[in-house]
Amino acid sequence: NKPIIYAITPTFSRPVQKAELTRLAQTFLHIPNFHWIVVEDSSSKTKLVTRFLENSGLIYTHLAVITPPNYKLGRTDANWKKPRGVEQRNAALRWLRENLKPTDNGIVYFADDDNTYSIKLFYEMEKIKKVGVWPVGLVGGLMVEKPICDNVTNKVIGFNAGWKPDRPFPLDMAGFAINLRLLLEHKDAEFSYDVEGGYQESEILRQIVTRDELEPLADCCMKVYVWHTRTEDPKLKMEQLLIKKGRRSNI
Ligand code: UDP
Ligand code: MN
């Protein structure tokens, strides 16, 4: 009786979007007990994402909610200035609370659209009673950022984070998942714009769990099953020239 893995993915329109979603979908297709919650950062659902999901072969829920303009990261803003995905992740949490009940067996994971996920990560998540944690590759200025796990007690005894190590939970969004029951019990727990950069993970976790309750997974946090990869913006100089002439390559 496996839990259903609910993966929440905020996503926004840009040249690489379909490529990112394709890479994710083809990983997720390997997971039988999987439900994808895709939340577009857009005032309504786009055709591209709608058609993509229809043809994906996955079980999914498609939502759309736009980031308020005053919170939207500008093209020239440094990327740590404003949090991304807050509105979208909260909309997904609302959907879970409105559509699922405490007896439903589920795990909730925040899966950004540009990261790289091993199938093994999802098998690990199935063990989670409250909140599971594990290493994340290529984040925080490190090859691997991870909880420090005591292999005698199998407990989290610290974190190796180099970036803002004083955070209540110095973890990346990709480095934990939550038992659905906990999110239904703490029905007001959500992400917030009113926190310092890099504190979104701490914000949600402090509302539902304590540090000593964290469950280290992935071999006592010795294995890396997810990487915080970031995709370079493609150079589209030629495309822009075409567009000026009223044409484009993708029609
Ligand atoms: N995102 C979004 N709207 C935006 C920027 C980002 O919905 O304006 C999504 C993005 O697709 C990703 C998540 O929010 O799933 C986190 O963004 P990003 O990967 O840029 O964050 P970082 O890699 O810097 O942590
Ligand atoms: Mn990212």
Side-chain angles (χ1 to χ4, degrees), residues 9-12 14 39-41 67 72-73 79 84-85 88-89 111-115 172 228-230:
T9 301
T11 186
F12 69 110
R14 63 207 191 277
V39 194
E40 291 195 69
D41 185 351
T67 302
K72 185 84 178 174
L73 200 69
N79 69 22
R84 278 132 290 149
Q88 292 74 30
R89 294 189 192 103
D112 288 355
D113 65 359
D114 56 344
N115 295 338
D172 183 74
H228 184 259
T229 45
R230 306 192 77 214

Side-chain angles (χ1 to χ4, degrees), residues 46-223:
T46 63
K47 261 190 194 158
L48 184 145
V49 176
T50 302
R51 288 206 189 116
F52 174 81
L53 288 171
E54 279 168 7
N55 295 315
S56 68
L58 288 162
I59 294 169
Y60 65 88
T61 296
H62 184 189
L63 306 172
V65 54
I66 197 161
T67 302
N70 49 323
Y71 289 115
K72 185 84 178 174
L73 200 69
R75 285 189 61 85
T76 52
D77 288 342
N79 69 22
W80 44 264
K81 277 221 171 127
K82 287 174 190 162
R84 278 132 290 149
V86 170
E87 212 73 30
Q88 292 74 30
R89 294 189 192 103
N90 282 342
L93 291 175
R94 253 187 325 273
W95 185 90
L96 291 171
R97 287 167 176 139
E98 284 167 10
N99 290 278
L100 300 174
K101 45 188 193 309
T103 50
D104 287 327
N105 189 9
I107 303 293
V108 179
Y109 182 52
F110 300 103
D112 288 355
D113 65 359
D114 56 344
N115 295 338
T116 305
Y117 305 93
S118 165
I119 298 164
K120 291 176 183 160
L121 181 65
F122 301 94
Y123 301 143
E124 289 297 308
M125 287 182 202
E126 292 172 1
K127 306 170 191 166
I128 296 173
K129 304 272 181 291
K130 289 186 172 176
V131 173
V133 295
W134 47 77
V136 177
L138 311 176
V139 73
L142 293 171
M143 279 300 287
V144 182
E145 194 181 82
K146 62 186 176 198
I148 298 164
C149 176
D150 182 298
N151 49 21
V152 177
T153 59
N154 199 45
K155 284 287 214 175
V156 175
I157 52 170
F159 298 85
N160 79 336
W163 186 71
K164 298 194 180 180
D166 296 333
R167 288 175 287 165
F169 294 87
L171 291 165
D172 183 74
M173 203 61 80
F176 65 92
I178 303 169
N179 194 300
L180 171 67
R181 182 179 36 79
L182 229 62
L183 287 169
L184 299 181
E185 283 170 9
H186 302 269
K187 58 182 171 35
D188 297 323
E190 59 171 21
F191 296 95
S192 164
Y193 290 111
D194 286 329
V195 299
E196 205 185 316
Y199 278 69
Q200 289 301 329
E201 297 83 352
S202 293
E203 181 60 15
I204 187 86
L205 288 173
R206 67 165 186 83
Q207 299 174 69
I208 60 174
V209 79
T210 59
R211 252 165 106 137
D212 57 285
E213 290 174 315
L214 298 176
E215 300 151 45
L217 295 171
D219 262 350
C220 207
C221 295
M222 296 289 281
K223 298 272 170 62

Side-chain angles (χ1 to χ4, degrees), residues 9-36:
T9 301
T11 186
F12 69 110
S13 177
R14 63 207 191 277
V16 300
Q17 184 179 32
K18 196 170 180 186
E20 304 279 42
L21 294 177
T22 298
R23 200 180 67 252
L24 255 59
Q26 296 191 353
T27 300
F28 298 159
L29 279 166
H30 291 281
I31 320 300
N33 48 322
F34 189 87
H35 184 136
W36 199 9

